[in-house]
Amino acid sequence: HGSDPSEDWCREQARRCICVLVKSLNNCILTDDESILELASCIETGKSSDTLPLPSELTAKDGAAQKLIGVIIALSHCFPALAGVSADLLKSVVAVIDKLPWGSGKGFATHAAYKTLIDAGMYSMDDLSGAIANTVARVQGFDSDCIDLLDPLFSLASLCRLSSSKVKEELDLVNETATRILNTSSRMSSKGKTMAVFTCCASIGELPGVTSFVP
């Protein structure tokens, strides 16, 4: 039996949309090679990205910060669709986003990335536990007044919501850090304090459009 033409069409449209977003991601960052564009080509054609070399480190272009955050959130909404096309391609896209520095907004993709990859059988709960431990270290490594701290803090809250293990200490760290940022004596910017409120919400529930959505 042949495949359902409507399903083939849906997968083709999904690949096209995700390809556009990956190219937009590439336009927001400084890179010395064509690897992200090559990944976009693999997505568009449905080819495997197993042997595709990915950049080791990425930096956002000046003036592209807000656009980059929008692209990251948009891509996170596409993760379930991309998993239906190829879990390997999804892992590659997640790997590229992970190469972005903290403060870029990559924490907005954490929930969707780990939930989708765990559901697809590509990540295990051990992978999730490792990510939580690594993110805790990142949170603890930032100065309390540095706005970039909010990115791993939000990521940590999102990861804890996915964990089936007891993560009381980690959630306490999230809430204590966010409370300290919201304190009147904090030198954090108003943008950072707003993000701290979002992080508190993410630690106790799901944020529609960011940590909660129906693909």
Side-chain angles (χ1 to χ4, degrees):
H1 298 287
S3 59
D4 187 334
S6 62
E7 290 183 2
D8 291 342
W9 183 86
C10 287
R11 281 193 289 269
E12 181 180 350
Q13 297 309 305
R15 291 200 309 270
R16 287 180 177 177
C17 290
I18 297 166
C19 177
V20 169
L21 289 172
V22 171
K23 288 180 179 179
S24 296
L25 177 70
N26 185 73
N27 290 336
C28 292
I29 58 180
L30 299 173
T31 178
D32 295 328
D33 57 41
E34 301 291 313
S35 57
I36 297 178
L37 292 178
E38 289 175 14
L39 173 59
S41 178
C42 288
I43 293 169
E44 188 171 26
T45 59
K47 293 181 179 179
S48 173
S49 60
D50 283 350
T51 60
L52 187 66
L54 297 177
S56 57
E57 187 175 343
L58 299 173
T59 304
K61 289 180 179 177
D62 291 339
Q66 291 303 311
K67 180 180 178 181
L68 178 59
I69 290 173
V71 171
I72 289 171
I73 293 175
L75 273 172
S76 72
H77 279 257
C78 297
F79 288 166
L82 184 54
V85 174
S86 168
D88 287 332
L89 287 172
L90 172 59
K91 284 187 70 175
S92 295
V93 173
V94 170
V96 168
I97 293 174
D98 192 50
K99 297 296 183 183
L100 290 166
W102 289 114
S104 64
K106 69 177 183 178
F108 284 119
T110 299
H111 186 277
Y114 275 82
K115 185 179 187 304
T116 306
L117 285 167
I118 288 171
D119 289 346
M122 300 296 287
Y123 278 5
S124 67
M125 296 309 291
D126 286 342
D127 292 319
L128 177 61
S129 297
I132 290 174
N134 289 336
T135 309
V136 165
R138 293 294 184 178
V139 169
Q140 294 173 332
F142 275 104
D143 182 85
S144 61
D145 293 324
C146 177
I147 193 169
D148 290 349
L149 162 66
L150 276 305
D151 203 7
L153 192 67
F154 185 87
S155 181
L156 179 58
S158 300
L159 290 169
C160 288
R161 291 287 300 167
L162 289 172
S163 177
S164 59
S165 304
K166 293 181 179 179
V167 286
K168 183 179 183 303
E169 289 185 8
E170 290 82 355
L171 285 173
D172 284 346
L173 174 63
V174 170
N175 292 319
E176 289 168 6
T177 305
T179 299
R180 187 167 63 250
I181 289 170
L182 292 169
N183 192 287
T184 54
S185 62
S186 170
R187 293 176 295 171
M188 181 65 74
S189 66
S190 59
K191 179 182 177 181
K193 290 189 175 185
T194 300
M195 189 63 197
V197 173
F198 287 149
T199 302
C200 289
C201 294
S203 71
I204 60 175
E206 295 185 336
L207 301 181
V210 179
T211 64
S212 175
F213 53 86
V214 179

